[in-house]
Amino acid sequence: MAELKRVLITGGVLAAITGAVITSIFGLISTNGHENPTPTVNSLLLPTATCCAVPSPTATPDKASLQLNAVTEKCRTSGFSDGSGSSYVAVAFGEGSCKGITMGWSVPNAGGYAGCVVDLPSEILPLSNFAYLLLRAEGLRGSEQFQIGLINDTQDPVKQHKDMERVPPEGASQPIEISLDRFIDQNTTLESLNQLVFGINYDVGEGLRDSSICITEISFVPG
């Protein structure tokens, strides 16, 4: 009987400890049956789920995806244009059927241009950790062209390191993969690049100077 009592007592203590541990773990998710509010994430960089792997000091970084709502806000507050008053780029997040960034533009006059600049989050810098810029986008009609660039904060976003890309029609989102080497030259290194540029200009051609695209992913991918 004494032996049984010791077992019961020991079991009770173990159950109490285990229950406390479980309560403390699930307390992160709910308290007294009420869910805790989801914390607001202000970083441009999407959180990456981690588990049990212990990274090597020389491990290759994973794909880093930007938060599209944060990109939208930064793009909205850092626009540029030719100053004519008729050229613009406008952005919105989660509008209509687009689950990402809706980017619309108008550049009706010869020589016109417009765009926006987004500071990259420090967590992914330097860009020498990556080999490609990956975007998923689709156009209102298809075959829309826009400019994408990577610059540093001392360079002119209108002139520097922009690459023209053509997007598929709505409902046919496909990845656009651009080598980061296309944004460097003898005077510019990947380590110096810290801003992402979107742009459009009159030279895209008739019928495409007033249009929009939907961007559902912006990521940096290792080689």
Side-chain angles (χ1 to χ4, degrees):
M1 180 63 74
E3 186 65 27
L4 178 59
K5 185 178 293 185
R6 283 198 299 273
V7 171
L8 291 173
I9 291 172
T10 302
V13 171
L14 180 59
I17 294 172
T18 304
V21 172
I22 291 173
T23 300
S24 67
I25 292 173
F26 283 92
L28 295 174
I29 302 172
S30 64
T31 305
N32 297 327
H34 299 289
E35 291 188 357
N36 287 336
T38 302
T40 300
V41 180
N42 295 318
S43 171
L44 265 174
L45 192 64
L46 284 177
T48 301
T50 58
C51 176
C52 313
V54 178
S56 148
T58 57
T60 302
D62 294 328
K63 179 175 76 170
S65 298
L66 302 186
Q67 278 201 13
L68 299 182
N69 57 338
V71 171
T72 302
E73 288 304 312
K74 287 184 176 291
C75 196
R76 184 177 289 132
T77 58
S78 61
F80 60 86
S81 72
D82 53 41
S84 66
S86 55
S87 297
Y88 67 85
V89 164
V91 291
F93 178 72
E95 184 177 82
S97 61
C98 179
K99 303 304 180 185
I101 302 171
T102 299
M103 181 175 292
W105 61 77
S106 180
V107 282
N109 303 319
Y113 61 84
C116 64
V117 181
V118 176
D119 293 330
L120 293 174
S122 60
E123 294 92 336
I124 68 170
L125 300 177
L127 291 184
S128 54
N129 289 327
F130 304 95
Y132 300 96
L133 172 62
L134 178 84
L135 297 99
R136 288 186 183 273
E138 55 191 50
L140 180 65
R141 294 185 295 269
S143 296
E144 285 89 349
Q145 296 182 79
F146 68 101
Q147 293 172 308
I148 185 78
L150 288 168
I151 63 172
N152 65 54
D153 50 20
T154 67
Q155 294 173 321
D156 183 352
V158 176
K159 301 176 181 178
Q160 193 76 27
H161 298 306
K162 288 188 293 187
D163 194 69
M164 186 71 77
E165 294 297 331
R166 190 180 297 273
V167 300
E170 185 175 3
S173 178
Q174 297 175 357
I176 299 170
E177 192 173 83
I178 309 165
S179 171
L180 296 187
D181 288 340
R182 292 168 73 171
F183 302 110
I184 62 175
D185 58 27
Q186 60 183 356
N187 300 314
T188 307
T189 64
L190 284 178
E191 287 82 1
S192 71
L193 303 178
N194 58 9
Q195 292 182 324
L196 180 68
V197 180
F198 293 101
I200 191 74
N201 64 41
Y202 182 84
D203 297 335
V204 296
E206 190 174 354
L208 299 174
R209 296 171 185 141
D210 188 350
S211 194
S212 67
I213 58 175
C214 174
I215 302 171
T216 55
E217 182 181 358
I218 306 172
S219 299
F220 289 92
V221 183

